[in-house]
Structures are given as structure tokens and as C-alpha cells.
Amino acid sequence: MRVIAGSAKGRRLRSVPGMDTRPTTDRVKEALFSILNGRVNDAQFLDLYAGNGGIGIEALSRGAAKAIFIDKSPLCTQMIRTNLSIVNFFDRSEVYTNDVLRALSILGKRKLVFDIIFLDPPYHQDLIGKTLRLISEYELLASGGIVVVEHSKKEEITPEVLKLVRVRSEQYGDTVLGFYRHKEDSSENMCMSW
């Protein structure tokens, strides 16, 4: 696994051994950042169920101002820290070992907002709807921001959760990327602009 573009382009990242994590493939990562395009530059980025941190690190490499990484596995968060040291992005990142649903409450209490929120929870554990609900309840998504959900094509994902609505969906093999925005930001013109 490597950083595809930006200041850390070509750097190889380490992954947690075993099958409990599924790092996002280079093909899906390339597609994701192609869709996000210039939105990553100077963005506040939240990487949930972060695994080895590959998505958030890619965002930092492409100019995100800051990334917060959350995963409940100490092995994962240790690997994120290792990878951050490989690319030297510690100064623009925070890493937390915590249950994501509990961590969202903490972020809400801190009144943090994010331009891009990426989540790739374990498949088939009914976490996507719960996570989107808390993102909406705690108002963690900035105005004009985007939530990206990576999930299996076999999972049925609701197109609307509280104030969030899916505005785009792309499939790559067995993987789907769903893009959510605030309802008031989801007009056709805004969708077409990216």
C-alpha cells in the first residue's frame, strides 16, 4: 500500500497483519480522490474506522490542513502512528483509540466540524446508519462538506439519515463509495459541480 499523490507520493505504508482490516485498494482510493478533486486542499478531514490510516494520510499528502484518525483497535492506531511517522505528518494529525460512536460524541462536545468525513466500518455490522446519524446529530459536517461511506455492494445503505442525503454513489467491483451532503447543500447544481 502506498501514497498515490501529493507531498508523500510513493511512500509505502504499513498495514495491520491479518484479515480484520481491509485497506482501501489503490483503485478505489484513486477514484475517491479524483471525485473529491480540489476539495481536499486545506480541508479538515475525519477518518473513521481508520484501519492503517491510508485514506487520511492520502488526504494530508494532497494538502488537507488536518486529519483526525479514529479506530477502536490499539493495533490499528499504533499502525497509524507508525505510518504518520513514515510520511512525517504528525504535526497535522490527531489519532484516537476509541469506539467510533463514542468518539463522535466527544468530537461533538469539542464543537469540531469537518469538510470531509470518510468512514469505512466493518462490513455487515449495521454501523453505517448509526455513524451517519451521530455525524448529523452532533453537526460534525461543515456547511458544504461531504461524508464518504465505503461499503460492500451487498449492503443496503439508506439514502437519507436525518439532515444527510446521499447525492452520489459509485461502484468499483465489490466496493461502493456513497457521498452524502447536508440536505440544503444537495441541490442538483451543487452535485454536478463535483
Side-chain angles (χ1 to χ4, degrees), residues 69-104:
F69 301 83
I70 300 172
D71 200 289
K72 72 177 181 180
S73 165
L75 289 175
C76 287
T77 52
Q78 183 55 47
M79 188 58 67
I80 293 167
R81 289 182 181 95
T82 297
N83 285 331
L84 286 168
S85 70
I86 289 170
V87 294
N88 198 24
F89 289 155
F90 267 117
D91 60 330
R92 296 187 289 142
S93 60
E94 296 177 31
V95 181
Y96 297 102
T97 306
N98 203 339
D99 175 81
V100 165
L101 302 180
R102 195 171 316 125
L104 292 175

PDB file of all heavy atoms in Angstrom, residues 69-104:
ATOM      1  N   PHE A  69      -7.827  10.766  13.081  1.00  0.00           N
ATOM      2  CA  PHE A  69      -7.987   9.341  12.821  1.00  0.00           C
ATOM      3  C   PHE A  69      -8.593   8.682  14.053  1.00  0.00           C
ATOM      4  O   PHE A  69      -8.097   8.883  15.163  1.00  0.00           O
ATOM      5  CB  PHE A  69      -6.633   8.691  12.556  1.00  0.00           C
ATOM      6  CG  PHE A  69      -5.877   9.264  11.391  1.00  0.00           C
ATOM      7  CD1 PHE A  69      -5.113  10.415  11.530  1.00  0.00           C
ATOM      8  CD2 PHE A  69      -5.913   8.641  10.155  1.00  0.00           C
ATOM      9  CE1 PHE A  69      -4.393  10.936  10.458  1.00  0.00           C
ATOM     10  CE2 PHE A  69      -5.196   9.153   9.075  1.00  0.00           C
ATOM     11  CZ  PHE A  69      -4.441  10.303   9.230  1.00  0.00           C
ATOM     12  N   ILE A  70      -9.635   7.861  13.841  1.00  0.00           N
ATOM     13  CA  ILE A  70     -10.256   7.157  14.961  1.00  0.00           C
ATOM     14  C   ILE A  70     -10.441   5.689  14.596  1.00  0.00           C
ATOM     15  O   ILE A  70     -10.995   5.366  13.542  1.00  0.00           O
ATOM     16  CB  ILE A  70     -11.610   7.785  15.341  1.00  0.00           C
ATOM     17  CG1 ILE A  70     -11.410   9.248  15.746  1.00  0.00           C
ATOM     18  CG2 ILE A  70     -12.268   6.990  16.469  1.00  0.00           C
ATOM     19  CD1 ILE A  70     -12.677  10.017  15.950  1.00  0.00           C
ATOM     20  N   ASP A  71      -9.971   4.830  15.475  1.00  0.00           N
ATOM     21  CA  ASP A  71     -10.195   3.397  15.353  1.00  0.00           C
ATOM     22  C   ASP A  71     -10.180   2.818  16.763  1.00  0.00           C
ATOM     23  O   ASP A  71      -9.427   3.293  17.614  1.00  0.00           O
ATOM     24  CB  ASP A  71      -9.118   2.735  14.486  1.00  0.00           C
ATOM     25  CG  ASP A  71      -9.576   1.391  13.938  1.00  0.00           C
ATOM     26  OD1 ASP A  71      -9.693   0.418  14.735  1.00  0.00           O
ATOM     27  OD2 ASP A  71      -9.826   1.305  12.722  1.00  0.00           O
ATOM     28  N   LYS A  72     -10.995   1.796  17.001  1.00  0.00           N
ATOM     29  CA  LYS A  72     -11.054   1.231  18.350  1.00  0.00           C
ATOM     30  C   LYS A  72      -9.922   0.253  18.637  1.00  0.00           C
ATOM     31  O   LYS A  72      -9.661  -0.084  19.781  1.00  0.00           O
ATOM     32  CB  LYS A  72     -12.402   0.567  18.607  1.00  0.00           C
ATOM     33  CG  LYS A  72     -12.637  -0.726  17.871  1.00  0.00           C
ATOM     34  CD  LYS A  72     -13.976  -1.327  18.259  1.00  0.00           C
ATOM     35  CE  LYS A  72     -14.205  -2.642  17.533  1.00  0.00           C
ATOM     36  NZ  LYS A  72     -15.486  -3.225  17.912  1.00  0.00           N
ATOM     37  N   SER A  73      -9.230  -0.197  17.591  1.00  0.00           N
ATOM     38  CA  SER A  73      -8.157  -1.171  17.770  1.00  0.00           C
ATOM     39  C   SER A  73      -6.830  -0.492  18.099  1.00  0.00           C
ATOM     40  O   SER A  73      -6.335   0.307  17.298  1.00  0.00           O
ATOM     41  CB  SER A  73      -7.993  -2.011  16.494  1.00  0.00           C
ATOM     42  OG  SER A  73      -6.762  -2.700  16.512  1.00  0.00           O
ATOM     43  N   PRO A  74      -6.237  -0.828  19.244  1.00  0.00           N
ATOM     44  CA  PRO A  74      -4.910  -0.274  19.550  1.00  0.00           C
ATOM     45  C   PRO A  74      -3.866  -0.654  18.505  1.00  0.00           C
ATOM     46  O   PRO A  74      -2.951   0.122  18.235  1.00  0.00           O
ATOM     47  CB  PRO A  74      -4.570  -0.880  20.914  1.00  0.00           C
ATOM     48  CG  PRO A  74      -5.886  -1.265  21.509  1.00  0.00           C
ATOM     49  CD  PRO A  74      -6.771  -1.639  20.355  1.00  0.00           C
ATOM     50  N   LEU A  75      -3.997  -1.845  17.904  1.00  0.00           N
ATOM     51  CA  LEU A  75      -3.062  -2.238  16.845  1.00  0.00           C
ATOM     52  C   LEU A  75      -3.175  -1.301  15.656  1.00  0.00           C
ATOM     53  O   LEU A  75      -2.164  -0.914  15.055  1.00  0.00           O
ATOM     54  CB  LEU A  75      -3.327  -3.677  16.399  1.00  0.00           C
ATOM     55  CG  LEU A  75      -2.944  -4.787  17.375  1.00  0.00           C
ATOM     56  CD1 LEU A  75      -3.384  -6.142  16.832  1.00  0.00           C
ATOM     57  CD2 LEU A  75      -1.442  -4.782  17.635  1.00  0.00           C
ATOM     58  N   CYS A  76      -4.411  -0.930  15.315  1.00  0.00           N
ATOM     59  CA  CYS A  76      -4.624  -0.013  14.191  1.00  0.00           C
ATOM     60  C   CYS A  76      -4.077   1.371  14.496  1.00  0.00           C
ATOM     61  O   CYS A  76      -3.377   1.959  13.663  1.00  0.00           O
ATOM     62  CB  CYS A  76      -6.103   0.061  13.830  1.00  0.00           C
ATOM     63  SG  CYS A  76      -6.731  -1.427  13.000  1.00  0.00           S
ATOM     64  N   THR A  77      -4.386   1.894  15.670  1.00  0.00           N
ATOM     65  CA  THR A  77      -3.926   3.255  15.954  1.00  0.00           C
ATOM     66  C   THR A  77      -2.400   3.304  16.099  1.00  0.00           C
ATOM     67  O   THR A  77      -1.783   4.313  15.739  1.00  0.00           O
ATOM     68  CB  THR A  77      -4.624   3.856  17.192  1.00  0.00           C
ATOM     69  OG1 THR A  77      -4.500   2.961  18.301  1.00  0.00           O
ATOM     70  CG2 THR A  77      -6.098   4.106  16.900  1.00  0.00           C
ATOM     71  N   GLN A  78      -1.786   2.223  16.578  1.00  0.00           N
ATOM     72  CA  GLN A  78      -0.323   2.176  16.598  1.00  0.00           C
ATOM     73  C   GLN A  78       0.223   2.183  15.181  1.00  0.00           C
ATOM     74  O   GLN A  78       1.209   2.851  14.875  1.00  0.00           O
ATOM     75  CB  GLN A  78       0.172   0.943  17.366  1.00  0.00           C
ATOM     76  CG  GLN A  78       1.684   0.882  17.474  1.00  0.00           C
ATOM     77  CD  GLN A  78       2.282   2.138  18.095  1.00  0.00           C
ATOM     78  OE1 GLN A  78       1.815   2.635  19.112  1.00  0.00           O
ATOM     79  NE2 GLN A  78       3.309   2.687  17.468  1.00  0.00           N
ATOM     80  N   MET A  79      -0.445   1.449  14.271  1.00  0.00           N
ATOM     81  CA  MET A  79      -0.002   1.417  12.876  1.00  0.00           C
ATOM     82  C   MET A  79      -0.193   2.788  12.215  1.00  0.00           C
ATOM     83  O   MET A  79       0.643   3.213  11.406  1.00  0.00           O
ATOM     84  CB  MET A  79      -0.767   0.346  12.095  1.00  0.00           C
ATOM     85  CG  MET A  79      -0.229   0.110  10.704  1.00  0.00           C
ATOM     86  SD  MET A  79       1.512  -0.385  10.678  1.00  0.00           S
ATOM     87  CE  MET A  79       1.408  -2.005  11.452  1.00  0.00           C
ATOM     88  N   ILE A  80      -1.296   3.484  12.548  1.00  0.00           N
ATOM     89  CA  ILE A  80      -1.500   4.842  12.019  1.00  0.00           C
ATOM     90  C   ILE A  80      -0.339   5.737  12.453  1.00  0.00           C
ATOM     91  O   ILE A  80       0.230   6.477  11.643  1.00  0.00           O
ATOM     92  CB  ILE A  80      -2.845   5.427  12.489  1.00  0.00           C
ATOM     93  CG1 ILE A  80      -4.007   4.652  11.867  1.00  0.00           C
ATOM     94  CG2 ILE A  80      -2.940   6.917  12.140  1.00  0.00           C
ATOM     95  CD1 ILE A  80      -5.355   4.949  12.509  1.00  0.00           C
ATOM     96  N   ARG A  81       0.040   5.657  13.726  1.00  0.00           N
ATOM     97  CA  ARG A  81       1.150   6.477  14.213  1.00  0.00           C
ATOM     98  C   ARG A  81       2.455   6.125  13.491  1.00  0.00           C
ATOM     99  O   ARG A  81       3.248   7.007  13.147  1.00  0.00           O
ATOM    100  CB  ARG A  81       1.295   6.317  15.730  1.00  0.00           C
ATOM    101  CG  ARG A  81       0.175   6.983  16.508  1.00  0.00           C
ATOM    102  CD  ARG A  81       0.370   6.852  18.028  1.00  0.00           C
ATOM    103  NE  ARG A  81      -0.724   7.485  18.720  1.00  0.00           N
ATOM    104  CZ  ARG A  81      -1.816   6.837  19.162  1.00  0.00           C
ATOM    105  NH1 ARG A  81      -1.951   5.533  18.967  1.00  0.00           N
ATOM    106  NH2 ARG A  81      -2.768   7.511  19.783  1.00  0.00           N
ATOM    107  N   THR A  82       2.668   4.836  13.263  1.00  0.00           N
ATOM    108  CA  THR A  82       3.852   4.410  12.510  1.00  0.00           C
ATOM    109  C   THR A  82       3.837   5.007  11.110  1.00  0.00           C
ATOM    110  O   THR A  82       4.847   5.546  10.639  1.00  0.00           O
ATOM    111  CB  THR A  82       3.904   2.864  12.426  1.00  0.00           C
ATOM    112  OG1 THR A  82       4.026   2.335  13.750  1.00  0.00           O
ATOM    113  CG2 THR A  82       5.053   2.383  11.566  1.00  0.00           C
ATOM    114  N   ASN A  83       2.683   4.922  10.445  1.00  0.00           N
ATOM    115  CA  ASN A  83       2.574   5.453   9.086  1.00  0.00           C
ATOM    116  C   ASN A  83       2.711   6.973   9.055  1.00  0.00           C
ATOM    117  O   ASN A  83       3.303   7.527   8.131  1.00  0.00           O
ATOM    118  CB  ASN A  83       1.265   4.992   8.437  1.00  0.00           C
ATOM    119  CG  ASN A  83       1.325   3.535   8.027  1.00  0.00           C
ATOM    120  OD1 ASN A  83       2.390   3.007   7.709  1.00  0.00           O
ATOM    121  ND2 ASN A  83       0.189   2.869   8.040  1.00  0.00           N
ATOM    122  N   LEU A  84       2.163   7.652  10.064  1.00  0.00           N
ATOM    123  CA  LEU A  84       2.329   9.105  10.134  1.00  0.00           C
ATOM    124  C   LEU A  84       3.802   9.481  10.295  1.00  0.00           C
ATOM    125  O   LEU A  84       4.259  10.494   9.756  1.00  0.00           O
ATOM    126  CB  LEU A  84       1.499   9.689  11.276  1.00  0.00           C
ATOM    127  CG  LEU A  84      -0.004   9.749  11.038  1.00  0.00           C
ATOM    128  CD1 LEU A  84      -0.742  10.074  12.333  1.00  0.00           C
ATOM    129  CD2 LEU A  84      -0.350  10.763   9.955  1.00  0.00           C
ATOM    130  N   SER A  85       4.553   8.651  11.014  1.00  0.00           N
ATOM    131  CA  SER A  85       5.988   8.941  11.159  1.00  0.00           C
ATOM    132  C   SER A  85       6.721   8.697   9.841  1.00  0.00           C
ATOM    133  O   SER A  85       7.669   9.412   9.517  1.00  0.00           O
ATOM    134  CB  SER A  85       6.599   8.120  12.297  1.00  0.00           C
ATOM    135  OG  SER A  85       6.657   6.756  11.965  1.00  0.00           O
ATOM    136  N   ILE A  86       6.267   7.722   9.050  1.00  0.00           N
ATOM    137  CA  ILE A  86       6.880   7.452   7.746  1.00  0.00           C
ATOM    138  C   ILE A  86       6.747   8.671   6.829  1.00  0.00           C
ATOM    139  O   ILE A  86       7.680   9.021   6.109  1.00  0.00           O
ATOM    140  CB  ILE A  86       6.242   6.207   7.091  1.00  0.00           C
ATOM    141  CG1 ILE A  86       6.664   4.938   7.841  1.00  0.00           C
ATOM    142  CG2 ILE A  86       6.604   6.101   5.609  1.00  0.00           C
ATOM    143  CD1 ILE A  86       5.901   3.681   7.421  1.00  0.00           C
ATOM    144  N   VAL A  87       5.580   9.315   6.869  1.00  0.00           N
ATOM    145  CA  VAL A  87       5.323  10.453   5.975  1.00  0.00           C
ATOM    146  C   VAL A  87       5.545  11.804   6.654  1.00  0.00           C
ATOM    147  O   VAL A  87       5.401  12.847   6.028  1.00  0.00           O
ATOM    148  CB  VAL A  87       3.891  10.380   5.382  1.00  0.00           C
ATOM    149  CG1 VAL A  87       3.759   9.181   4.458  1.00  0.00           C
ATOM    150  CG2 VAL A  87       2.836  10.344   6.469  1.00  0.00           C
ATOM    151  N   ASN A  88       5.851  11.778   7.956  1.00  0.00           N
ATOM    152  CA  ASN A  88       6.144  12.990   8.721  1.00  0.00           C
ATOM    153  C   ASN A  88       4.968  13.971   8.750  1.00  0.00           C
ATOM    154  O   ASN A  88       5.137  15.172   8.516  1.00  0.00           O
ATOM    155  CB  ASN A  88       7.410  13.668   8.179  1.00  0.00           C
ATOM    156  CG  ASN A  88       8.000  14.639   9.168  1.00  0.00           C
ATOM    157  OD1 ASN A  88       7.777  14.517  10.378  1.00  0.00           O
ATOM    158  ND2 ASN A  88       8.738  15.623   8.688  1.00  0.00           N
ATOM    159  N   PHE A  89       3.769  13.437   9.070  1.00  0.00           N
ATOM    160  CA  PHE A  89       2.571  14.281   9.141  1.00  0.00           C
ATOM    161  C   PHE A  89       2.022  14.412  10.566  1.00  0.00           C
ATOM    162  O   PHE A  89       0.856  14.755  10.752  1.00  0.00           O
ATOM    163  CB  PHE A  89       1.457  13.718   8.247  1.00  0.00           C
ATOM    164  CG  PHE A  89       1.703  13.851   6.769  1.00  0.00           C
ATOM    165  CD1 PHE A  89       1.088  12.983   5.893  1.00  0.00           C
ATOM    166  CD2 PHE A  89       2.527  14.838   6.250  1.00  0.00           C
ATOM    167  CE1 PHE A  89       1.290  13.093   4.520  1.00  0.00           C
ATOM    168  CE2 PHE A  89       2.736  14.958   4.889  1.00  0.00           C
ATOM    169  CZ  PHE A  89       2.114  14.082   4.018  1.00  0.00           C
ATOM    170  N   PHE A  90       2.827  14.131  11.579  1.00  0.00           N
ATOM    171  CA  PHE A  90       2.325  14.198  12.950  1.00  0.00           C
ATOM    172  C   PHE A  90       1.793  15.579  13.321  1.00  0.00           C
ATOM    173  O   PHE A  90       0.843  15.709  14.083  1.00  0.00           O
ATOM    174  CB  PHE A  90       3.426  13.806  13.947  1.00  0.00           C
ATOM    175  CG  PHE A  90       3.416  12.358  14.301  1.00  0.00           C
ATOM    176  CD1 PHE A  90       4.499  11.561  13.991  1.00  0.00           C
ATOM    177  CD2 PHE A  90       2.330  11.783  14.940  1.00  0.00           C
ATOM    178  CE1 PHE A  90       4.496  10.214  14.312  1.00  0.00           C
ATOM    179  CE2 PHE A  90       2.317  10.446  15.268  1.00  0.00           C
ATOM    180  CZ  PHE A  90       3.403   9.653  14.947  1.00  0.00           C
ATOM    181  N   ASP A  91       2.409  16.627  12.783  1.00  0.00           N
ATOM    182  CA  ASP A  91       2.031  17.987  13.171  1.00  0.00           C
ATOM    183  C   ASP A  91       0.642  18.381  12.680  1.00  0.00           C
ATOM    184  O   ASP A  91       0.066  19.351  13.165  1.00  0.00           O
ATOM    185  CB  ASP A  91       3.074  18.991  12.666  1.00  0.00           C
ATOM    186  CG  ASP A  91       3.218  18.976  11.153  1.00  0.00           C
ATOM    187  OD1 ASP A  91       3.001  17.906  10.539  1.00  0.00           O
ATOM    188  OD2 ASP A  91       3.552  20.026  10.580  1.00  0.00           O
ATOM    189  N   ARG A  92       0.083  17.639  11.731  1.00  0.00           N
ATOM    190  CA  ARG A  92      -1.245  17.957  11.197  1.00  0.00           C
ATOM    191  C   ARG A  92      -2.254  16.844  11.475  1.00  0.00           C
ATOM    192  O   ARG A  92      -3.233  16.703  10.753  1.00  0.00           O
ATOM    193  CB  ARG A  92      -1.161  18.205   9.688  1.00  0.00           C
ATOM    194  CG  ARG A  92      -0.332  19.418   9.328  1.00  0.00           C
ATOM    195  CD  ARG A  92      -0.404  19.745   7.859  1.00  0.00           C
ATOM    196  NE  ARG A  92       0.300  18.758   7.056  1.00  0.00           N
ATOM    197  CZ  ARG A  92      -0.125  18.321   5.871  1.00  0.00           C
ATOM    198  NH1 ARG A  92      -1.258  18.753   5.355  1.00  0.00           N
ATOM    199  NH2 ARG A  92       0.583  17.433   5.201  1.00  0.00           N
ATOM    200  N   SER A  93      -2.021  16.081  12.537  1.00  0.00           N
ATOM    201  CA  SER A  93      -2.917  14.955  12.773  1.00  0.00           C
ATOM    202  C   SER A  93      -3.139  14.690  14.257  1.00  0.00           C
ATOM    203  O   SER A  93      -2.336  15.096  15.097  1.00  0.00           O
ATOM    204  CB  SER A  93      -2.362  13.699  12.092  1.00  0.00           C
ATOM    205  OG  SER A  93      -1.096  13.381  12.614  1.00  0.00           O
ATOM    206  N   GLU A  94      -4.257  14.026  14.534  1.00  0.00           N
ATOM    207  CA  GLU A  94      -4.562  13.509  15.861  1.00  0.00           C
ATOM    208  C   GLU A  94      -5.037  12.078  15.665  1.00  0.00           C
ATOM    209  O   GLU A  94      -5.776  11.792  14.717  1.00  0.00           O
ATOM    210  CB  GLU A  94      -5.675  14.320  16.540  1.00  0.00           C
ATOM    211  CG  GLU A  94      -5.316  15.773  16.824  1.00  0.00           C
ATOM    212  CD  GLU A  94      -6.494  16.540  17.432  1.00  0.00           C
ATOM    213  OE1 GLU A  94      -7.315  15.933  18.144  1.00  0.00           O
ATOM    214  OE2 GLU A  94      -6.586  17.746  17.169  1.00  0.00           O
ATOM    215  N   VAL A  95      -4.636  11.181  16.572  1.00  0.00           N
ATOM    216  CA  VAL A  95      -5.008   9.773  16.480  1.00  0.00           C
ATOM    217  C   VAL A  95      -5.629   9.359  17.802  1.00  0.00           C
ATOM    218  O   VAL A  95      -5.042   9.599  18.866  1.00  0.00           O
ATOM    219  CB  VAL A  95      -3.771   8.880  16.188  1.00  0.00           C
ATOM    220  CG1 VAL A  95      -4.185   7.409  16.059  1.00  0.00           C
ATOM    221  CG2 VAL A  95      -3.038   9.354  14.941  1.00  0.00           C
ATOM    222  N   TYR A  96      -6.812   8.721  17.735  1.00  0.00           N
ATOM    223  CA  TYR A  96      -7.507   8.298  18.948  1.00  0.00           C
ATOM    224  C   TYR A  96      -7.905   6.832  18.871  1.00  0.00           C
ATOM    225  O   TYR A  96      -8.468   6.385  17.866  1.00  0.00           O
ATOM    226  CB  TYR A  96      -8.759   9.147  19.173  1.00  0.00           C
ATOM    227  CG  TYR A  96      -8.433  10.598  19.403  1.00  0.00           C
ATOM    228  CD1 TYR A  96      -8.594  11.522  18.382  1.00  0.00           C
ATOM    229  CD2 TYR A  96      -7.913  11.021  20.625  1.00  0.00           C
ATOM    230  CE1 TYR A  96      -8.267  12.860  18.577  1.00  0.00           C
ATOM    231  CE2 TYR A  96      -7.580  12.359  20.826  1.00  0.00           C
ATOM    232  CZ  TYR A  96      -7.759  13.268  19.803  1.00  0.00           C
ATOM    233  OH  TYR A  96      -7.421  14.577  19.995  1.00  0.00           O
ATOM    234  N   THR A  97      -7.615   6.119  19.952  1.00  0.00           N
ATOM    235  CA  THR A  97      -8.068   4.743  20.100  1.00  0.00           C
ATOM    236  C   THR A  97      -9.384   4.805  20.870  1.00  0.00           C
ATOM    237  O   THR A  97      -9.400   5.076  22.074  1.00  0.00           O
ATOM    238  CB  THR A  97      -7.036   3.908  20.890  1.00  0.00           C
ATOM    239  OG1 THR A  97      -5.762   4.031  20.263  1.00  0.00           O
ATOM    240  CG2 THR A  97      -7.452   2.439  20.933  1.00  0.00           C
ATOM    241  N   ASN A  98     -10.481   4.618  20.148  1.00  0.00           N
ATOM    242  CA  ASN A  98     -11.791   4.740  20.783  1.00  0.00           C
ATOM    243  C   ASN A  98     -12.837   4.116  19.862  1.00  0.00           C
ATOM    244  O   ASN A  98     -12.653   4.047  18.640  1.00  0.00           O
ATOM    245  CB  ASN A  98     -12.129   6.217  21.020  1.00  0.00           C
ATOM    246  CG  ASN A  98     -13.148   6.422  22.128  1.00  0.00           C
ATOM    247  OD1 ASN A  98     -13.900   5.515  22.471  1.00  0.00           O
ATOM    248  ND2 ASN A  98     -13.164   7.622  22.679  1.00  0.00           N
ATOM    249  N   ASP A  99     -13.937   3.699  20.448  1.00  0.00           N
ATOM    250  CA  ASP A  99     -15.092   3.286  19.661  1.00  0.00           C
ATOM    251  C   ASP A  99     -15.574   4.511  18.879  1.00  0.00           C
ATOM    252  O   ASP A  99     -15.726   5.598  19.456  1.00  0.00           O
ATOM    253  CB  ASP A  99     -16.189   2.775  20.600  1.00  0.00           C
ATOM    254  CG  ASP A  99     -17.457   2.454  19.856  1.00  0.00           C
ATOM    255  OD1 ASP A  99     -17.542   1.367  19.266  1.00  0.00           O
ATOM    256  OD2 ASP A  99     -18.369   3.323  19.849  1.00  0.00           O
ATOM    257  N   VAL A 100     -15.802   4.346  17.602  1.00  0.00           N
ATOM    258  CA  VAL A 100     -16.140   5.492  16.753  1.00  0.00           C
ATOM    259  C   VAL A 100     -17.415   6.182  17.237  1.00  0.00           C
ATOM    260  O   VAL A 100     -17.473   7.414  17.300  1.00  0.00           O
ATOM    261  CB  VAL A 100     -16.265   5.064  15.270  1.00  0.00           C
ATOM    262  CG1 VAL A 100     -16.973   6.130  14.448  1.00  0.00           C
ATOM    263  CG2 VAL A 100     -14.889   4.780  14.696  1.00  0.00           C
ATOM    264  N   LEU A 101     -18.435   5.428  17.601  1.00  0.00           N
ATOM    265  CA  LEU A 101     -19.696   6.050  18.013  1.00  0.00           C
ATOM    266  C   LEU A 101     -19.502   6.876  19.283  1.00  0.00           C
ATOM    267  O   LEU A 101     -20.059   7.969  19.413  1.00  0.00           O
ATOM    268  CB  LEU A 101     -20.773   4.983  18.203  1.00  0.00           C
ATOM    269  CG  LEU A 101     -21.061   4.119  16.965  1.00  0.00           C
ATOM    270  CD1 LEU A 101     -22.149   3.097  17.262  1.00  0.00           C
ATOM    271  CD2 LEU A 101     -21.436   4.969  15.755  1.00  0.00           C
ATOM    272  N   ARG A 102     -18.683   6.420  20.204  1.00  0.00           N
ATOM    273  CA  ARG A 102     -18.373   7.179  21.415  1.00  0.00           C
ATOM    274  C   ARG A 102     -17.514   8.395  21.065  1.00  0.00           C
ATOM    275  O   ARG A 102     -17.717   9.498  21.593  1.00  0.00           O
ATOM    276  CB  ARG A 102     -17.640   6.280  22.407  1.00  0.00           C
ATOM    277  CG  ARG A 102     -17.604   6.843  23.810  1.00  0.00           C
ATOM    278  CD  ARG A 102     -17.064   5.861  24.844  1.00  0.00           C
ATOM    279  NE  ARG A 102     -17.612   4.529  24.686  1.00  0.00           N
ATOM    280  CZ  ARG A 102     -16.868   3.423  24.537  1.00  0.00           C
ATOM    281  NH1 ARG A 102     -15.561   3.491  24.551  1.00  0.00           N
ATOM    282  NH2 ARG A 102     -17.436   2.251  24.406  1.00  0.00           N
ATOM    283  N   ALA A 103     -16.564   8.201  20.158  1.00  0.00           N
ATOM    284  CA  ALA A 103     -15.666   9.293  19.773  1.00  0.00           C
ATOM    285  C   ALA A 103     -16.420  10.439  19.107  1.00  0.00           C
ATOM    286  O   ALA A 103     -16.073  11.611  19.293  1.00  0.00           O
ATOM    287  CB  ALA A 103     -14.577   8.770  18.842  1.00  0.00           C
ATOM    288  N   LEU A 104     -17.460  10.122  18.329  1.00  0.00           N
ATOM    289  CA  LEU A 104     -18.234  11.186  17.680  1.00  0.00           C
ATOM    290  C   LEU A 104     -18.873  12.104  18.710  1.00  0.00           C
ATOM    291  O   LEU A 104     -18.956  13.315  18.514  1.00  0.00           O
ATOM    292  CB  LEU A 104     -19.285  10.579  16.752  1.00  0.00           C
ATOM    293  CG  LEU A 104     -18.731   9.864  15.516  1.00  0.00           C
ATOM    294  CD1 LEU A 104     -19.850   9.191  14.737  1.00  0.00           C
ATOM    295  CD2 LEU A 104     -17.949  10.814  14.626  1.00  0.00           C
TER     296      LEU A 104
END
